[in-house]
């Protein structure tokens, strides 16, 4: 499986080339075009496996219940995938390590990558942001997307990222989800919601823009929902 | 305080370095990521009463955050606006000022004064708020838009669509008027426009939130 990112950074799409015998898993709804003889299989977890509970967890995490698995014909083929929001993408080669991807930023992965849902606890309820992060492990490529640009930060020590700006991070990092200021009241007033405080060594990919913040600035202009 | 603006024109984001003792004032929710050891304090945006007016009549947020580096090492912080779009820096001299439309302000250096000026009923009718925000130097100010930013020198008069105005020199006077005759104003889709009079610079944005909302609204159910 090989990945070409095209039209970066504003309107990125990933062209995923698959050799015969390889297969790829993508977020439901992400496919925009593909080879004519590509086979799609839709399951709740890995290709050929069930995993109802994992799918339920994923659904709670704001991801799709189903995942699509793409397998090319005897000559290989390709699939174009893209997310809904405008922005950049990044690919990452897993080599036995674990990558944590923010729910909503996962786009596609090699079939050999194991995708699990990590629950971040009740603390996240207050932020209005995703309660769940996806844990990717195994060997193979992962493609994730962002709203806006992606800037990687190599952490050696401590660093703070607004939870709405996290795209993905290496699991070698320790993290605590916490409030931005000393007290709850001032944290609430600051409008910053919750932040993730990383420590240790590893890389975090940050998205320049926060989808929830954009949604909030658009809200006053939208008409009320019809009852 | 140094700033590096990246990702323009589509996704402008501002990487700021804070030296020991420096304070950055930023719009609520503007922080994307930062070093540890930066103190954050949430304050009313220039006094309680002015703040209430600004929130309810000027369309700005009630609070701003003060990020202070009280340590001895240089720290960095990344600041962004909620909308994807372009970002600019302007360095105001002592006494120099710039007017901003609601939502344009992202951050400024400590020392920049927020002033609230009466904008008039015409501005209110044009859905631009009863008051306007004027920022006075000395200090750097960062502001942004939805879409790209276009700068334009005005000599005499110039007409802009109200929702596309971002910032302008205080010397410029704004008046709200119909885009054309009664017929073209209401059926031509332009409605009310802003007539800018005087000599000075203005900054426009190539997209508007009210514009995208008008596109989204009929698709909601």
């Amino acid at each position: 499986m090989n990945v070409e990112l095209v039209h970066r950074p504003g309107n990125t799409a990933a062209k995923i080339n698959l050799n015969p015998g390889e297969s790829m898993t993508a977020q439901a709804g992400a496919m925009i075009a593909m080879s004519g003889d590509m086979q799609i299989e839709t399951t709740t977890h890995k290709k050929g496996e069930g995993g109802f509970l994992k799918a339920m967890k994923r659904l709670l995490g704001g991801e799709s219940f189903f995942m699509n698995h793409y397998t090319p014909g005897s000559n290989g083929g390709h699939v174009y995938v893209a997310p809904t929001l405008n922005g950049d993408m990044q690919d990452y080669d897993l080599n036995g390590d674990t990558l944590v991807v923010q729910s909503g930023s996962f786009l596609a992965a090699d079939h050999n990558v194991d995708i699990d849902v990590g629950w971040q606890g009740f603390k996240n309820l207050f932020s209005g942001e995703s309660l769940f992060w996806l844990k990717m492990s195994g060997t193979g490529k992962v493609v994730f997307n962002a709203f806006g640009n992606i800037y990687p930060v190599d952490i050696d020590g401590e660093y703070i990222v607004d939870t709405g700006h996290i795209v993905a991070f290496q699991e070698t990092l320790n993290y605590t989800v916490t409030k931005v200021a000393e007290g709850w009241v001032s944290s609430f007033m600051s409008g910053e919601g919750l932040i993730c405080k990383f420590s240790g060594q590893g890389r975090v990919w940050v998205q320049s823009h926060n989808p929830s913040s954009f949604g909030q600035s658009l809200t006053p202009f939208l008409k009320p929902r019809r009852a | 305080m140094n700033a590096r603006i990246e990702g323009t024109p589509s996704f402008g984001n501002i990487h700021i370095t804070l030296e020991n003792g420096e304070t950055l004032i930023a719009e609520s929710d503007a922080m994307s990521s930062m070093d540890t050891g930066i103190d954050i304090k949430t304050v009313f945006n220039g006094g309680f009463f002015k703040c209430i007016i600004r929130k309810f009549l000027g369309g700005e947020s009630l609070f701003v955050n003060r990020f202070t580096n009280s340590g001895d090492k240089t720290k960095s912080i990344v600041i962004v606006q909620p909308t994807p779009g372009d970002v600019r820096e302007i360095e105001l001299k002592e006494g120099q000022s710039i007017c901003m439309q609601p939502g344009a302000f992202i951050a400024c250096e400590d020392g920049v004064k927020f002033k609230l000026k009466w904008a008039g009923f015409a501005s209110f009718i044009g859905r631009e708020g009863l008051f306007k925000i004027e920022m006075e130097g000395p200090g750097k100010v960062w502001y942004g838009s939805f879409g790209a930013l276009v700068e334009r020198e005005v000599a005499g008069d110039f007409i802009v669509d109200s929702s596309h105005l971002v910032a302008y020199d205080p010397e410029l006077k704004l008046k709200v008027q119909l885009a054309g005759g009664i017929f073209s104003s209401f059926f031509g889709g332009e409605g009310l426009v802003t007539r800018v009079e005087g000599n000075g610079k203005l900054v426009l944005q190539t997209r508007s939130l009210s514009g995208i909302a008008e596109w989204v609204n009929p698709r909601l159910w």
Side-chain angles (χ1 to χ4, degrees):
Chain A
M1 166 172 163
N2 130 303
V3 178
E4 285 172 58
L5 300 180
V6 294
H7 304 296
R8 295 179 73 180
N11 298 299
T12 318
K15 184 190 178 195
I16 298 177
N17 301 303
L18 296 170
N19 292 321
E22 288 181 334
S23 82
M24 180 270 287
T25 300
Q27 181 69 276
M31 189 272 289
I32 49 178
M34 62 181 186
S35 306
D37 58 349
M38 189 69 68
Q39 296 294 315
I40 307 186
E41 194 185 329
T42 304
T43 69
T44 52
H45 183 48
K46 280 200 129 176
K47 187 167 174 265
E49 290 176 33
F52 182 77
L53 259 177
K54 282 188 174 171
M56 278 307 290
K57 277 162 77 183
R58 212 165 48 235
L59 194 66
L60 288 168
E63 297 277 318
S64 325
F65 188 73
F66 294 106
M67 287 200 173
N68 292 327
H69 310 281
Y70 298 84
T71 310
S74 53
N75 298 317
H78 63 267
V79 184
Y80 279 97
V81 287
T84 311
L85 291 171
N86 302 53
D88 205 358
M89 276 187 209
Q90 183 74 48
D91 59 325
Y92 181 83
D93 284 301
L94 278 174
N95 204 354
D97 53 331
T98 302
L99 190 72
V100 180
V101 179
Q102 167 93 326
S103 154
S105 286
F106 167 66
L107 196 64
D110 189 291
H111 175 245
N112 295 318
V113 171
D114 198 46
I115 304 167
D116 199 4
V117 181
W119 187 45
Q120 291 312 305
F122 280 115
K123 280 195 268 185
N124 263 11
L125 273 175
F126 297 103
S127 70
E129 282 144 11
S130 60
L131 275 147
F132 296 86
W133 285 343
L134 301 174
K135 283 192 176 188
M136 313 273 178
S137 56
T139 308
K141 238 180 218 316
V142 176
V143 184
F144 48 88
N145 60 269
F147 182 36
N149 282 18
I150 298 176
Y151 59 91
V153 180
D154 287 312
I155 300 174
D156 185 6
E158 285 189 325
Y159 196 70
I160 289 167
V161 184
D162 184 303
T163 47
H165 287 269
I166 296 170
V167 175
F169 59 90
Q170 289 175 320
E171 219 211 9
T172 52
L173 286 162
N174 296 314
Y175 55 92
T176 46
V177 177
T178 180
K179 52 197 190 298
V180 67
E182 293 281 304
W184 279 108
V185 176
S186 54
S187 294
F188 177 73
M189 291 194 311
S190 74
E192 296 291 348
L194 288 171
I195 50 140
C196 192
K197 196 173 192 175
F198 290 101
S199 61
Q201 286 183 331
R203 176 172 280 200
V204 55
W205 289 265
V206 186
Q207 58 187 354
S208 63
H209 286 67
N210 182 340
S212 310
S213 303
F214 179 57
Q216 279 167 21
S217 51
L218 193 56
T219 306
F221 296 98
L222 299 178
K223 65 177 183 189
R225 193 184 290 262
R226 264 179 241 153
Chain B
M1 194 178 296
N2 279 312
R4 193 176 80 245
I5 296 176
E6 294 195 351
T8 55
S10 296
F11 305 112
N13 53 95
I14 315 161
H15 297 243
I16 295 171
T17 53
L18 290 176
E19 303 297 334
N20 173 29
E22 283 185 329
T23 296
L24 174 77
I25 297 166
E27 178 66 311
S28 173
D29 197 27
M31 189 271 291
S32 149
S33 68
M34 64 180 187
D35 284 328
T36 51
I38 295 177
D39 299 329
I40 166 168
K41 206 175 150 200
T42 304
V43 294
F44 280 115
N45 190 345
F48 179 73
F49 184 64
K50 269 161 83 177
C51 219
I52 296 287
I53 293 177
R54 192 153 40 220
K55 162 87 178 167
F56 294 102
L57 301 171
E60 287 285 318
S61 43
L62 199 50
F63 302 104
V64 287
N65 291 320
R66 291 174 62 88
F67 294 92
T68 306
N69 178 6
S70 47
D72 49 2
K73 287 201 185 100
T74 302
K75 307 268 182 191
S76 66
I77 177 167
V78 184
I79 296 286
V80 74
Q81 59 182 352
T83 54
D86 209 351
V87 167
R88 290 283 155 85
E89 173 183 298
I90 177 171
E91 185 153 14
L92 297 170
K93 296 184 197 77
E94 175 83 48
Q96 188 192 353
S97 61
I98 184 170
C99 293
M100 286 200 186
Q101 292 297 95
F105 170 72
I106 305 171
C108 66
E109 284 184 310
D110 196 16
V112 173
K113 289 188 271 298
F114 290 78
K115 289 180 160 178
L116 204 57
K117 290 269 174 79
W118 176 251
F121 287 109
S123 158
F124 188 67
I125 294 163
R127 291 184 296 175
E128 295 294 324
L130 272 176
F131 294 85
K132 60 183 180 183
I133 294 133
E134 200 175 306
M135 320 271 311
E136 192 185 291
K140 288 174 186 165
V141 178
W142 294 274
Y143 64 95
S145 61
F146 184 38
L149 286 165
V150 179
E151 287 178 30
R152 164 93 200 200
E153 287 291 338
V154 176
D157 64 351
F158 191 58
I159 291 171
V160 299
D161 185 288
S162 313
S163 59
H164 287 262
L165 189 59
V166 174
Y168 52 98
D169 283 341
E171 291 75 34
L172 294 170
K173 297 279 170 285
L174 306 189
K175 286 180 181 170
V176 175
Q177 64 172 52
L178 291 174
I182 297 285
F183 184 82
S184 69
S185 297
F186 289 96
F187 297 97
E190 293 296 340
L192 295 168
V193 293
T194 302
R195 173 180 289 270
V196 184
E197 290 177 353
N199 295 305
K201 197 166 86 173
L202 65 80
V203 186
L204 303 171
Q205 59 184 4
T206 59
R207 294 287 185 278
S208 78
L209 273 178
S210 53
I212 195 169
E214 274 168 36
W215 182 88
V216 171
N217 276 333
R219 288 165 175 80
L220 296 176
W221 50 279

